[in-house]
Amino acid sequence: MSQVRVLTGIKPTGTPHLGNYVGAIRPTVRASRQPGVDSFLFLADYHAMISTQDPGRLQHSTLEIAATWIACGLNPADVTFYRQSDVPEIPELTWFLTCVCGKGLLNRAHAYKAMLDKNAAAGTEPDDGVSAGLFMYPVLMAADILMFNAHQVPVGRDQVQHIEMARDMASSFNHLYGEHFTLPDAVIEESVATLPGLDGRKMSKSYDNVIPLFAPPEQLRKQILGIVTDSKMPGEPKQTEGSALFQIYQAFATPEETAAFAQAYADGIAWGDAKQQLFERIDREIAPMRATYNGLMAHPEKVEAMLQAGAVKARAVATPFTARVRHAVGLRPLQAHAAPVAAKADKAALPTFKQYREKDGLFYFKLADAKGRVLLQSVGCASPKDAGQAIARLKTQGYAACPDLHTLAHVADGASATEAETALQALREAE
């Protein structure tokens, strides 16, 4: 079974709450255990520097977030779990991508445009409060993804643009220097759970209505008792629809437990009893994780050791890949190419792969010789990952050795399989 590489970044800002756990942490941990999934999860501490200049806060939040994910069941032995700043190849790749990324693309980034709109409304200079870090955020995010040639990146809808921008940068680089990057797909979880907070609105730090994930039991119970409910008295039937209390319970309970709780609502359970049941159900799931979390927070050296081990795994991929990219852009030993002009001419004479998307929404690729004559033409692929994997196999194995791909990529009219094989051989020799 071919593995799908899935990459997730976690920005270390703030203390995790129940909404983070239900909406992101728990489903991501479960997904990392699926067969055929190669999970890369990283602490995006470089990204966090854009929003905080407090060194102590950044360090403590990094510890909190790392300890949280491990306590919630993430097994560093089964995934690649690392801190972004422990992989120096990432900022190097950021620069490579910066050199192929048009400023106009970055001008369209949602976060930057939001700052421009905010400043326009306030009557200040357009770039007031805009750091170069904020402006370049999409390039760093692209480097995070492309460094490991991730196939899928789970994101919220507000982050889809960043994945599209990463694809644009990868395509630009591939066009200039050859096929090096996989074009990533954004994966939007339509069923991601969102928890209501203490006041019934979405649980969010910006609303100050959150319940910390690993609050001590008494604090957890006190906050649950403070969840807003209606004025129905004990014995009066209560509606589950629109009830923040019920929605939170449902996020932790089994279907059978949820049905029983719904019946208790219909039977007129007192709000105090309902809140006590909610506390007990949440604490039953959280308590073992809380103990692990507290142990890790008391021994940050254990967390550090796990992250360092993860960095070794990440760099085992990043270091050789960066060496390949450095060579591709011309950062190579001088004796490798004594005649740069000739090397450039040689490059121009090579066959090329082109990967593209048509109006039908499918992804295609073709192999053309040095004069642009098409030798191989693909049919439509469901995803750029499928097209990219087919290209990679053809380049490394040749056309004849991949008979299973002959229905996907056929010899173009006016060309021959021998010509295609010769072109692929030329590409292999040029690597």
Side-chain angles (χ1 to χ4, degrees), residues 2-182:
S2 61
Q3 284 199 316
V4 175
R5 181 165 291 174
V6 180
L7 182 140
T8 302
I10 310 126
K11 190 156 68 171
T13 53
T15 302
H17 53 73
L18 292 183
N20 299 142
Y21 172 70
V22 169
I25 300 172
R26 186 171 64 184
T28 301
V29 170
R30 288 175 177 172
S32 73
R33 298 169 181 164
Q34 293 178 357
V37 173
D38 182 17
S39 289
F40 278 63
L41 294 98
F42 68 95
L43 300 168
D45 50 350
Y46 280 148
H47 288 293
M49 290 176 63
I50 296 171
S51 55
T52 180
Q53 285 76 47
D54 183 339
R57 179 183 175 190
L58 176 58
Q59 179 189 26
H60 185 73
S61 186
T62 300
L63 172 61
E64 277 190 313
I65 301 300
T68 295
W69 280 80
I70 296 166
C72 290
L74 186 70
N75 186 351
D78 295 337
V79 302
T80 304
F81 183 53
Y82 59 99
R83 182 170 39 204
Q84 186 185 33
S85 59
D86 286 334
V87 184
E89 292 84 359
I90 291 173
E92 182 173 5
L93 180 56
T94 300
W95 179 249
F96 293 163
L97 297 176
T98 298
C99 293
V100 301
C101 177
K103 180 176 178 290
L105 181 67
L106 300 180
N107 286 342
R108 297 191 291 273
H110 295 326
Y112 177 60
K113 289 177 66 178
M115 286 293 290
L116 295 182
D117 292 343
K118 178 182 176 182
N119 289 336
T124 59
E125 289 294 323
D127 285 326
D128 184 43
V130 178
S131 68
L134 173 66
F135 187 70
M136 296 297 296
Y137 179 101
V139 188
L140 177 57
M141 186 169 178
D144 292 326
I145 298 165
L146 300 178
M147 173 60 72
F148 300 103
N149 281 299
H151 301 122
Q152 297 179 356
V153 185
V155 291
R157 288 195 174 277
D158 60 335
Q159 291 287 315
V160 169
Q161 185 196 45
H162 286 136
I163 311 306
E164 294 173 345
M165 294 170 85
R167 290 173 59 90
D168 284 342
M169 290 177 231
S171 295
S172 296
F173 191 98
N174 288 348
H175 176 72
L176 289 170
Y177 300 110
E179 296 289 330
H180 295 281
F181 296 120
T182 298

Side-chain angles (χ1 to χ4, degrees), residues 223-272:
Q223 289 191 292
I224 288 174
L225 289 174
I227 294 174
V228 174
T229 53
D230 61 31
S231 58
K232 291 187 183 299
M233 300 296 292
E236 291 186 78
K238 297 168 177 61
Q239 296 293 323
T240 58
E241 186 175 352
S243 168
L245 194 69
F246 185 83
Q247 290 178 50
I248 298 173
Y249 185 91
Q250 188 174 28
F252 287 87
T254 65
E256 294 75 18
E257 290 171 331
T258 300
F261 200 54
Q263 185 59 52
Y265 262 55
D267 293 341
I269 187 174
W271 286 126

Side-chain angles (χ1 to χ4, degrees), residues 371-390:
K371 296 181 180 180
R373 186 166 64 99
V374 177
L375 304 177
L376 291 179
Q377 174 64 60
S378 79
V379 297
C381 301
S383 73
K385 179 194 73 175
D386 294 336
Q389 289 178 340

